[in-house]
Amino acid sequence: MALERLDAAPTDFDFVHGDWNVRHRRLKDRLVGNTEWIEFSGHMSTQPVLGGYGNVEDNLLNLPEGPYRAIAIRSFNPQTMSWSIWWLDGRMPDQLDVPVVGQFIDGVGTFYANDTLRGKPIKIRFLWFAVTPDQLRWEQAFSADDGATWETNWIMDFSR
């Protein structure tokens, strides 16, 4: 028996459903003034769950030091009209990252969290863009000054 909601599920993340090739660019080190980018390939596959009120993203990341798997879990809260996104790295299967929380405005998803890096408090920001139906972009940035400035440290460009 399928469980269904009476109200319409959100469509904000429908653009990520399906299979994607990924080009990753990630800073070698974060919040230390580093400008060296590491590039590698990957694959992402996303499917809706929770009757459309969530989705699960399965990732293969081909890092230079060796591949690993990870998943993103997203869920929508209709009371706050916001999404929460968790990251689970297959190399650390007992550790679910702090969720970033946010929403889409004018087609751009912006999500924030408070976390720590090397024992110091930071803010995290994710940005999601649907460039075209066959191209997506995700960016991650950290701030060590409570959001006054941001260092973009990971960019993922997706293509079908």
Side-chain angles (χ1 to χ4, degrees):
M1 170 189 257
L3 297 176
E4 295 189 28
R5 294 184 60 108
L6 298 176
D7 49 340
T11 59
D12 297 321
F13 269 110
D14 285 2
F15 68 94
V16 302
H17 295 165
D19 296 324
W20 298 87
N21 296 309
V22 186
R23 181 179 161 263
H24 295 266
R25 291 183 64 232
R26 187 180 74 179
L27 278 181
K28 186 173 183 179
D29 202 7
R30 299 165 184 173
L31 293 178
V32 294
N34 182 274
T35 59
E36 182 181 349
W37 290 88
I38 299 168
E39 295 191 24
F40 54 97
S41 67
H43 181 78
M44 184 265 281
S45 181
T46 302
Q47 65 181 17
V49 295
L50 302 173
Y53 282 80
N55 59 62
V56 176
E57 174 187 297
D58 186 22
N59 292 276
L60 171 63
L61 297 94
N62 294 311
L63 287 172
E65 59 269 21
Y68 77 98
R69 306 269 338 189
I71 62 171
I73 305 162
R74 300 184 190 95
S75 66
F76 183 75
N77 182 331
Q79 283 76 39
T80 62
M81 301 300 288
S82 63
W83 287 89
S84 295
I85 307 171
W86 292 265
W87 182 253
L88 177 61
D89 184 322
R91 299 168 298 177
M92 297 172 278
D94 297 331
Q95 181 180 329
L96 193 60
D97 282 356
V98 173
V100 293
V101 178
Q103 55 191 208
F104 282 82
I105 298 174
D106 297 327
V108 176
T110 306
F111 308 88
Y112 296 97
N114 294 312
D115 205 348
T116 59
L117 179 66
R118 295 184 293 273
K120 296 187 179 184
I122 63 166
K123 286 196 175 295
I124 298 173
R125 181 184 70 201
F126 286 6
L127 298 175
W128 268 105
F129 310 89
V131 180
T132 72
D134 293 322
Q135 293 180 312
L136 312 177
R137 177 171 263 213
W138 172 86
E139 296 179 4
Q140 174 181 270
F142 290 171
S143 175
D145 56 13
D146 202 33
T149 61
W150 292 92
E151 175 189 82
T152 299
N153 57 53
W154 199 329
I155 299 169
M156 295 166 61
D157 287 308
F158 301 80
S159 61
R160 297 265 187 205

